Amino acid sequence: MTHLLLLEDDESLVLGLEFSLQAEGYKVTHVGTVEACKQALATDDFDMAILDVTLPDGNGYEVCSYIRDSSDMPIIFLTAMDDEVNVVLGLDIGADDYLTKPFRVRELLSRIRAVLRRKIQKQEGTLLKSGNITLDVNRALLKKEDKEIPLSAQEYRLLLIFMNHPEKILSRDEIFEKLMEEGGEFFEDNTLSVYIKRLREKIERDVSRPDYIITLRGLGYRWDRRVIRE
């Protein structure tokens, strides 16, 4: 069972969060101060830390740095401070994601799944190979026959979704959901077709007869090649 450490001093928020996280199958340990958080880290093992920033005896940035001194455990910040300086600071000191209050519980659950999934992918391997293309997940770098192919952030996320689900039909709704989980911006339904067209232009030999991203009318899309992870 995935064990989450929740550092949050707002008891009214904690009540709902604990219920929702436990309902999703997570084990949750809640603490309300920096000191209690450090004690919990010293006595138990956790798979992820969810940290508030403003706390009675310090701040979440301090805890994040404390964790990063000895662990690569995934960290998500929950905070009311949404200005760019604080967001950048949180990410620069080692956080994996940053969610501002108020937030929807479903969004937090999606972020948790995405961050945990990235950790598993990193442990399993960082190179995804399929046909004549290679995607370096750590560097977000695509190569086709050893030639680097530039990708926009959204094109990279879309390609990663396809290559992580090879030979499986993905509906448009599933793709939208996975893009949101990976932190992608929301866009209209017809925009997905535009991104897929752009991606095909970069990876396919013949866009009119694609080898990789196949359209299945009325069903969605399928990555039609085997993917090897190294």
Side-chain angles (χ1 to χ4, degrees):
M1 180 181 291
T2 302
H3 194 179
L4 307 180
L5 175 60
L6 175 61
L7 172 57
E8 172 60 65
D9 65 331
D10 184 339
E11 292 294 338
S12 61
L13 177 60
V14 167
L15 253 152
L17 276 182
E18 276 193 305
F19 177 82
S20 298
L21 291 169
Q22 288 167 355
E24 288 292 313
Y26 297 115
K27 179 182 178 182
V28 182
T29 295
H30 166 242
V31 290
T33 64
V34 170
E35 185 56 36
C37 188
K38 291 180 178 179
Q39 290 175 6
L41 287 164
T43 58
D44 213 338
D45 293 323
F46 299 95
D47 298 294
M48 173 182 285
I50 302 172
L51 310 177
D52 188 19
V53 171
T54 305
L55 298 157
D57 59 338
N59 60 68
Y61 299 136
E62 175 188 346
V63 176
C64 182
S65 296
Y66 179 82
I67 292 172
R68 281 291 170 263
D69 283 343
S70 58
S71 171
D72 63 351
M73 176 200 313
I75 296 171
I76 295 178
F77 276 122
L78 300 180
T79 179
M81 298 190 295
D82 62 351
D83 59 276
E84 185 179 356
V85 172
N86 283 291
V87 172
V88 171
L89 174 60
L91 297 175
D92 279 352
I93 62 175
D96 296 272
D97 209 342
Y98 202 106
L99 199 57
T100 57
K101 303 174 184 177
F103 57 85
R104 295 172 297 176
V105 174
R106 280 189 62 189
E107 183 178 3
L108 173 61
L109 293 172
S110 291
R111 298 292 185 94
I112 290 172
R113 288 193 295 267
V115 170
L116 289 173
R117 187 164 56 249
R118 288 198 294 268
K119 180 184 179 183
I120 292 171
Q121 290 167 353
K122 186 174 181 180
Q123 291 171 339
E124 290 179 342
T126 61
L127 293 181
L128 300 177
K129 295 185 176 182
S130 185
N132 64 353
I133 69 173
T134 301
L135 182 64
D136 186 329
V137 177
N138 274 356
R139 297 191 294 161
L141 178 65
L142 172 66
K143 286 188 177 182
K144 180 180 178 181
E145 297 175 345
D146 295 326
K147 179 183 178 182
E148 289 189 14
I149 307 295
L151 294 173
S152 69
Q154 204 67 285
E155 288 168 351
Y156 166 72
R157 293 187 182 103
L158 185 58
L159 179 59
L160 190 59
I161 288 168
F162 279 124
M163 294 189 74
N164 275 326
H165 301 84
E167 301 175 282
K168 176 186 175 183
I169 298 172
L170 296 174
S171 70
R172 295 175 74 87
D173 286 344
E174 285 179 298
I175 294 172
F176 283 131
E177 183 179 343
K178 293 180 186 301
L179 283 169
M180 293 299 292
E181 286 180 6
E182 295 294 339
E185 62 191 48
F186 175 81
F187 49 79
E188 299 295 331
D189 184 72
N190 63 344
T191 312
L192 178 59
S193 301
V194 174
Y195 276 110
I196 288 178
K197 179 177 181 293
R198 290 177 181 172
L199 195 52
R200 279 174 170 157
E201 289 170 348
K202 293 184 177 184
I203 66 174
E204 302 285 2
R205 288 177 295 181
D206 183 351
V207 175
S208 64
R209 300 174 62 187
D211 295 314
Y212 295 102
I213 304 174
I214 305 300
T215 300
L216 300 168
R217 296 194 181 281
L219 296 175
Y221 302 91
R222 182 179 68 225
W223 185 269
D224 211 36
R225 289 290 190 93
R226 183 186 175 201
V227 174
I228 300 171
R229 189 184 298 274
E230 295 182 354

